[in-house]
Amino acid sequence: ITELLPVLSVRCSDGSIQPTRSVTEMTTMNPAAYQAFVASRIAEDQALYGELFAHLRSAVELDSTFALAHFRLAKMSAQFRRHAAARESGEMAWKWRANLSIKDRMQLDAWRAGIQNSVPESIELYRELHERWPDDLPILEELINILYMWRYANESLEMVESALDLYPDEQSLLNWKQTLLKQLGLSQEAVQTARQLAHLAPDNANNWDELGLRFVDAASLDSA
């Protein structure tokens, strides 16, 4: 670890080795801003995206140096194709990146490289993150996503299979698996995975919709 710290410090554009810091130093000293950030994560879990954005905007308004909230706002804006807002929030996160943990700073580097179309660099950074934190689900999903987006479907599927060994009932991973199997033309395998997902979470209407689509892909119209 001691030998790695200088390397990581340079890769994270910090220029110095940071001592262990408190949670507030890596998030915000403003309790209301932190409360808004936590509320945004709860809203995301409940798929209340309007509330999610409102809470994140509140967090950065209450503390303009809250790099983690800026970064989260950037990623969510990009996910909803609000590209100008994503870049603006990403630059604010970059400005205050010293307030991030090493892991979050490395993720910011990787994400920022991606939106700047430095795809090989972004993929390599996500691979480095995965090597260092191999059981971190958000990092796994980021790597799966960028590999999928840039047409590395086979490698993306390999990552999904590896992640499912750690998280066998994770719905997001099963959804990725059925999507990738469809992308690779493996229609029957995609049906099996979509069926597994639907029965794992039967109250999620989207899972049944996806299963219907996978039946269509497999030419099983009556089942669809």
Side-chain angles (χ1 to χ4, degrees), residues 34-198:
Y34 188 74
Q35 185 176 19
F37 181 77
V38 172
S40 77
R41 302 309 297 259
I42 294 171
E44 182 181 4
D45 289 341
Q46 298 173 344
L48 301 173
Y49 296 111
E51 290 185 19
L52 178 150
F53 280 104
H55 288 309
L56 286 174
R57 291 191 191 101
S58 177
V60 297
E61 286 169 5
L62 288 163
D63 181 0
S64 62
T65 72
F66 193 171
L68 191 59
H70 282 299
F71 185 25
R72 190 71 191 153
L73 184 54
K75 289 200 290 186
M76 294 307 301
S77 296
Q79 183 175 322
F80 283 83
R81 301 186 185 281
R82 302 173 183 177
H83 299 302
R87 289 181 180 277
E88 181 179 349
S89 295
E91 288 308 305
M92 287 299 293
W94 182 254
K95 177 180 178 180
W96 298 106
R97 63 191 180 279
N99 296 340
L100 294 170
S101 68
I102 286 179
K103 183 196 287 188
D104 289 326
R105 213 175 309 168
M106 289 177 70
Q107 289 184 82
L108 175 59
D109 282 348
W111 180 85
R112 194 165 179 262
I115 65 166
Q116 292 176 342
N117 294 319
S118 299
V119 178
E121 179 185 357
S122 181
I123 290 174
E124 184 59 31
L125 286 166
Y126 278 121
R127 284 180 176 141
E128 287 182 23
L129 278 157
H130 174 55
E131 287 175 7
R132 185 156 192 215
W133 292 279
D135 59 347
D136 187 295
L137 183 58
I139 289 172
L140 280 163
E141 291 186 314
E142 292 281 6
L143 179 54
I144 289 163
N145 180 60
I146 195 167
L147 290 170
Y148 171 75
M149 291 296 293
W150 294 97
R151 304 296 187 266
Y152 295 90
N154 284 299
E155 185 177 353
S156 187
L157 181 59
E158 289 174 9
M159 292 300 307
V160 170
E161 297 282 11
S162 175
L164 282 168
D165 288 339
L166 296 171
Y167 304 99
D169 294 328
E170 178 60 43
Q171 292 184 54
S172 62
L173 293 174
L174 288 168
N175 192 48
W176 269 116
K177 183 177 178 180
Q178 61 98 7
T179 299
L180 287 158
L181 288 168
K182 175 212 169 185
Q183 182 85 9
L184 293 167
L186 301 171
S187 300
Q188 294 301 326
E189 292 88 341
V191 166
Q192 292 171 11
T193 302
R195 194 196 301 273
Q196 180 184 354
L197 181 58

